[in-house]
Amino acid sequence: MTDTCPNCCRPGVQPRAERTDDTQNRSAYRCPDCGHAWITSRLRSAYRTAA
């Protein structure tokens, strides 16, 4: 899943690392434009998988 940089608003930033457990997906990002780094934690139940 891509994200938008919260610092410079660049869309489509790819995660550098991802980790999944029973309830969450965690992704680490670094913006290629401004270098800002951030982490997201998303509940797996909020994102349905394609059937």
Side-chain angles (χ1 to χ4, degrees):
M1 179 175 290
T2 63
D3 203 355
T4 299
C5 178
N7 188 54
C8 73
C9 298
R10 180 189 197 275
V13 178
Q14 294 287 331
R16 292 174 50 125
E18 294 182 297
R19 184 177 1 169
T20 301
D21 64 24
D22 291 339
T23 61
Q24 297 180 49
N25 291 331
R26 294 181 190 94
S27 303
Y29 297 89
R30 181 172 304 273
C31 180
D33 289 346
C34 72
H36 183 73
W38 71 100
I39 295 172
T40 64
S41 182
R42 294 178 171 97
L43 292 174
R44 294 180 69 190
S45 61
Y47 298 89
R48 292 180 41 174
T49 57

